[in-house]
Amino acid sequence: MTEDEFRKLAEFLYRRTGMVFNEAKRYYVERRILDRMAATSSDTFAGYFIILRGEMRREVEHLINAFTVNETYFYREDHQLECLARDLLPDRVRSKRAGEAIRIWSAPCSTGEEPYSIAMWLLENWPLVDTYDIEIVGSDIDTRVLEAAANGTYGKRALMRLPADVIAKYFNQVDEHAWQILDDLRQSVQFSRVNIMETRETRPQGRFDVIFCRNVLIYFDDESRRIAAENLFENLLPGGYICLGHTESMSRISPLFEVCRFSDAIVYRRPKEGRA
């Protein structure tokens, strides 16, 4: 790829995902573009870019899928799950009646480990789990990982942090190397494709009590982070919480949120009604 071709592609990806690809990532980018060129029988980058510029939805989707990072496992950063059950949900249910909805959003959800972890953690650790109508939604921009999440089959590495009794309780062993989430648990999590940079895609998801948006904003530049933060803010109920990855800080991204320090985690909150 020439410098101009690389710049055009980087701009194309940035406009659609918010992710920034600079010269330091050229080798990473070129390897994936060559794969997509081969898949579309494009002899040159110029020919392939015509396909993208023509907004062939399926190929744009394939391209975005090729550039997303999906490294995750069950019970990752479980101190935030501790905080969810010990602090965040008890605060949220103070204003709810028994049977009312509690909505939790995992965005991005990758191959499903995070939303399923939330479900299992609450079943194991929150005494009021059956008192409320808990709705867990997992969203991602990558359609491949959403298909894998809905299938709910995982290898040993994904399960490495789970206690043996939790695996036995919530998984069926498929073979020596694979385990699948039980049907009832799989059906309790909804999955949908959402680009958190696009208001027209985030708003229809409705408002949530808690959002997990971990380890994705590190791939954005300042402007993309601000846009994503504003979109996520609008998807929180007043007083709702957002959990970021341990290297991320909402205080450096947006002034919209309050910082909340709990014994297990630092999280961020949309101010309650009537507060700035």
Side-chain angles (χ1 to χ4, degrees):
M1 295 174 66
T2 66
E3 289 185 11
D4 184 57
E5 289 172 340
F6 182 85
R7 178 185 57 78
K8 286 180 179 179
L9 180 66
E11 289 177 355
F12 184 91
L13 287 167
Y14 177 76
R15 288 196 305 271
R16 284 156 181 79
T17 69
M19 292 186 292
V20 177
F21 296 96
N22 55 32
E23 279 290 334
K25 297 180 179 179
R26 175 184 280 271
Y27 179 69
Y28 172 88
V29 170
E30 288 185 341
R31 283 181 58 193
R32 282 153 180 78
I33 288 300
L34 287 172
D35 288 343
R36 293 314 312 158
M37 287 173 59
T40 56
S41 301
S42 302
D43 295 327
T44 64
F45 174 81
Y48 178 68
F49 201 65
I50 288 172
I51 295 174
L52 292 179
R53 289 290 295 273
E55 295 295 338
M56 290 184 63
R57 181 175 177 180
R58 191 62 179 164
E59 182 51 32
V60 173
E61 187 176 284
H62 283 313
L63 180 69
I64 291 173
N65 290 352
F67 282 92
T68 52
V69 178
N70 301 300
E71 174 67 21
T72 188
Y73 47 85
F74 287 95
Y75 282 13
R76 185 178 187 182
E77 297 186 34
D78 56 3
H79 60 282
Q80 288 187 343
L81 299 177
E82 289 271 11
C83 185
L84 175 68
R86 183 178 299 169
D87 301 297
L88 306 190
L89 292 185
D91 178 63
R92 294 303 300 157
V93 301
R94 288 192 183 103
S95 59
K96 296 179 185 287
R97 296 187 299 271
E100 285 193 45
I102 295 173
R103 303 192 72 224
I104 303 172
W105 192 18
S106 169
C109 67
S110 187
T111 43
E113 287 91 335
E114 182 172 274
Y116 290 135
S117 289
I118 293 168
M120 289 187 294
W121 190 274
L122 295 184
L123 287 167
E124 292 295 303
N125 298 285
W126 194 41
L128 298 181
V129 67
D130 293 321
T131 305
Y132 298 92
D133 179 17
I134 299 175
E135 179 184 347
I136 300 174
V137 179
S139 301
D140 206 285
I141 195 173
D142 187 334
T143 54
R144 293 173 309 173
V145 298
L146 290 172
E147 291 175 3
N151 178 268
T153 301
Y154 302 94
K156 290 181 180 179
R157 189 180 186 286
L159 276 62
M160 63 184 178
R161 293 287 302 276
L162 290 180
D165 62 323
V166 171
I167 296 174
K169 192 172 183 179
Y170 297 108
F171 292 80
N172 286 320
Q173 188 163 0
V174 178
D175 57 38
E176 184 181 354
H177 304 289
W179 289 257
Q180 186 174 39
I181 295 274
L182 295 180
D183 286 348
D184 286 349
L185 191 56
R186 281 192 291 132
Q187 293 168 10
S188 72
V189 178
Q190 304 171 40
F191 292 102
S192 61
R193 184 194 179 280
V194 176
N195 180 353
I196 62 172
M197 289 291 296
E198 295 288 348
T199 304
R200 66 177 182 271
E201 296 185 20
T202 56
R203 290 288 174 87
Q205 304 306 308
R207 287 185 166 183
F208 294 85
D209 293 281
V210 182
I211 296 175
F212 285 79
C213 182
R214 305 193 292 188
N215 306 308
V216 65
L217 298 181
I218 54 176
Y219 298 102
F220 293 2
D221 65 3
D222 290 344
E223 178 64 12
S224 296
R225 291 187 189 106
R226 182 190 62 78
I227 293 170
E230 290 176 358
N231 286 341
L232 294 169
F233 180 86
E234 292 300 326
N235 280 101
L236 277 175
L237 289 161
Y241 296 94
I242 184 167
C243 301
L244 302 183
H246 71 279
T247 63
E248 300 167 315
S249 171
M250 189 62 80
S251 301
R252 295 196 293 267
I253 298 171
S254 170
L256 293 172
F257 299 84
E258 300 173 336
V259 180
C260 298
R261 292 177 171 83
F262 295 102
S263 58
D264 294 301
I266 296 174
V267 301
Y268 305 88
R269 179 170 59 193
R270 174 173 177 156
K272 296 180 180 179
E273 297 287 12
R275 298 179 62 180

